[in-house]
Amino acid sequence: MASANTQHPPHIPFKALTIAGSDSGGGAGIQADLKTFTSLETFGTSVITSITSQNTLKVDGIHPIPADFVSQQLEAVLSDIGTNAIKTGMLCNAEIIAAIAKTLRKFYPNTLPIPNLVVDPVMIASSGAALLGTSAIETLIQEFLPLCSILTPNVPEAEYILSKAKLENPLFVASTPGCGGPVIDSLDQMRLAAQDLARLGPSIVLLKGGHLPFYKKTGKALSPELFRSVDDLSVEMEELELVDLIWDSRAGVFMELRKEFLRTSSTHGTGCTLSAAIAANLARGAEAIDAIIKGGDYVQSAIRDGLTVGNGKGCLNHFHHVIPRSIEKPTRFNPHPLTNYLLKTCEDDWKKYTHHAFVQGIADGTLPRESFIHYMKQDYLFLQTYARAHGLGAFKAKTMEESKAFADIVVHIAHESKLHIGYCAKWGITYEDMINTPESMANVAYTRYVLDIGMTGDLLDLGLAIAPCLIGYGQIGNRLYNDPKTVRGEANPYWEWIANYHDKDYQTAVERGIANLERQCRTQQPSAHRLERLEEIFRTATRLEASFWDMGLHQL
């Protein structure tokens, strides 16, 4: 029986039952449900309502199971194994819906709604085609929704149900006269629709907002025309967020669950997975609202870590929860997850480096001339070792692509060194002055650390040892160039230095370096323990960069 788990016996597993169709492609239906149950540590049972022939490109066949056999499956599970929660998905036709409702009433004769019954009203295909006929919708509304504890429609499903519901004095009406049915195109309309849906029986309505994303800055809904291109990352769009709206009719309160709208095609099975995750959480004893929140978080991570398994829409990664990624996969709005993670983790040290007194002296032109000259001599010596470190990367690379990535940066460093020599000449520093200058201890410490990491570690280790220099100078160049407080032009003797690191050529090198890091991370997703080591390398190199500024400022 579906029930709360106040005193669940420790030797009996938590149980969740899915009543849904079979997806031969494995991304949705009972396949997605059972994966979700397992991932969330519940014992999954199933009642199959239909068998489909489908893959990532299309659904080309649906074979409903006879209604009496669906009832037979359900009775077999509930009479022996029982369950702590139930979710329903594709119910196929009116006969099957009526048969399930009748069997559930047999096992829950005096309970309305049935505890922990989650209904995902699967009725519209991704192509827009209806999967339930009018008679099936009417049966769902009249016989099934009154049994429901939590209803989880998306926006098109909510519109479809309400267009058939025949409610008296509905709160929600069509926003566009003559459109032929209700249209939900705003958060206010979602609120009204959710309240009307609850009048059909469910205690809680979770109206999912995945089909109605909003611009994060303005709060306006994305137009239907642009929504059709939302998976095409070549189409530029402002940052979007989705709002899943909870209406708890028991308490008379709304709750908005806002999260980043992930622009990805790996969304097949999202609704199935969410309702299954909610059921699994309920089975384990979570309160309804908490089960919904946790279920949404689970699905968001499963989408973010989605899988490409065929030539069409991708699927969710249901087992991200079992073996979590230490670094998330790149997304439209976080294309460099490793780099951004390290910058955030090492934020204090990074700020000390990129906002060092030496840097601020360059910005306002007050840095002592002697300090800058000392720094420039040491920087040329540093560039020599910096090129060697990238050459070591090319040597250790296992593919031509990796070798080329490092070699390209070596070429850029050679170009930068020529500019360095020419720029130093303007300060009265000759090439002979630079190559005959003894290395400072700060220079020795930094360059030998980089080479040691390169010799003893792998390409990702080496990449993170040299990344603070490449990325940091790019950030400094951009920040100072665009900061209105920076003294500009001839009034600042260091303006040309600033402009060089803001220059497109250097910024392109930064982009290539970051892309190389992210590629390495995707190739060898670091474990939690490995990530700690990578953080240590990046942080140490960042601190050595700050020491390099100290060396220049104090002419050490």
Side-chain angles (χ1 to χ4, degrees), residues 171-401:
L171 295 172
F172 172 66
V173 294
S175 61
T176 305
C179 69
V183 175
I184 299 171
D185 57 7
S186 69
L187 188 55
D188 287 339
Q189 294 280 18
M190 289 179 70
R191 289 173 177 269
L192 297 176
Q195 291 177 83
D196 278 350
L197 288 167
R199 292 172 60 190
L200 301 175
S203 302
I204 297 174
V205 174
L206 171 63
L207 182 47
K208 300 175 293 190
H211 289 73
L212 187 65
F214 296 92
Y215 291 109
K216 193 168 185 179
K217 287 184 179 179
T218 65
K220 294 182 179 179
L222 185 71
S223 69
E225 293 75 21
L226 280 176
F227 181 74
R228 286 191 284 271
S229 302
V230 78
D231 292 347
D232 184 356
L233 297 187
S234 67
V235 178
E236 290 292 330
M237 294 184 188
E238 294 180 17
E239 187 172 0
L240 300 170
E241 69 175 355
L242 65 84
V243 181
D244 289 335
L245 181 68
I246 299 174
W247 167 242
D248 187 346
S249 64
R250 304 166 305 178
V253 296
F254 287 103
M255 181 180 295
E256 296 175 7
L257 305 180
R258 294 178 178 266
K259 51 183 70 91
E260 176 190 1
F261 183 89
L262 301 173
R263 293 185 63 190
T264 172
S265 62
S266 296
T267 55
H268 179 55
T270 300
C272 304
T273 301
L274 176 58
S275 55
I278 294 170
N281 290 324
L282 290 171
R284 295 184 58 81
E287 295 295 329
I289 300 301
D290 191 39
I292 292 171
I293 294 172
K294 289 180 178 178
D297 291 342
Y298 169 84
V299 170
Q300 186 80 346
S301 296
I303 295 173
R304 192 186 300 276
D305 203 19
L307 304 171
T308 301
V309 296
N311 297 311
K313 271 189 171 291
C315 302
L316 281 62
N317 181 1
H318 297 89
F319 296 113
H320 74 277
H321 191 71
V322 179
I323 307 176
R325 298 175 65 94
S326 57
I327 296 295
E328 66 182 47
K329 292 179 70 174
T331 66
R332 174 76 168 85
F333 299 107
N334 186 16
H336 308 129
L338 174 64
T339 304
N340 290 333
Y341 172 84
L342 292 171
L343 291 177
K344 183 176 181 180
T345 303
C346 304
E347 185 175 4
D348 289 343
D349 287 306
W350 190 257
K351 187 171 182 179
K352 290 176 184 177
Y353 158 41
T354 58
H355 291 72
H356 193 278
F358 187 98
V359 175
Q360 298 309 111
I362 284 179
D364 58 23
T366 62
L367 181 71
R369 176 184 174 87
E370 294 77 12
S371 294
F372 188 70
I373 289 175
H374 181 64
Y375 156 76
M376 291 298 288
K377 291 178 180 178
Q378 293 295 326
D379 196 39
Y380 183 79
L381 300 178
F382 174 85
L383 284 173
Q384 290 181 314
T385 306
Y386 196 56
R388 290 171 57 203
H390 283 85
L392 179 59
F395 170 74
K396 300 189 78 168
K398 296 180 180 179
T399 68
M400 186 61 71
E401 182 183 21

Side-chain angles (χ1 to χ4, degrees), residues 84-97:
N84 301 110
I86 302 171
K87 72 138 289 186
T88 66
M90 182 179 175
L91 300 181
C92 211
N93 58 42
E95 292 74 22
I96 290 174
I97 295 171

Side-chain angles (χ1 to χ4, degrees), residues 4 147 169 222 236 291 337 385 491 504 529 543:
L147 308 178
N169 302 315
L222 185 71
E236 290 292 330
T385 306
K504 182 179 179 180
H529 177 74
R543 289 174 173 173

Side-chain angles (χ1 to χ4, degrees), residues 475-495:
Q475 282 194 4
I476 290 167
N478 275 342
R479 179 173 65 84
L480 298 189
Y481 190 90
N482 295 310
D483 189 346
K485 296 179 181 179
T486 298
V487 178
R488 311 171 81 82
E490 295 181 358
N492 186 345
Y494 309 116
W495 175 247

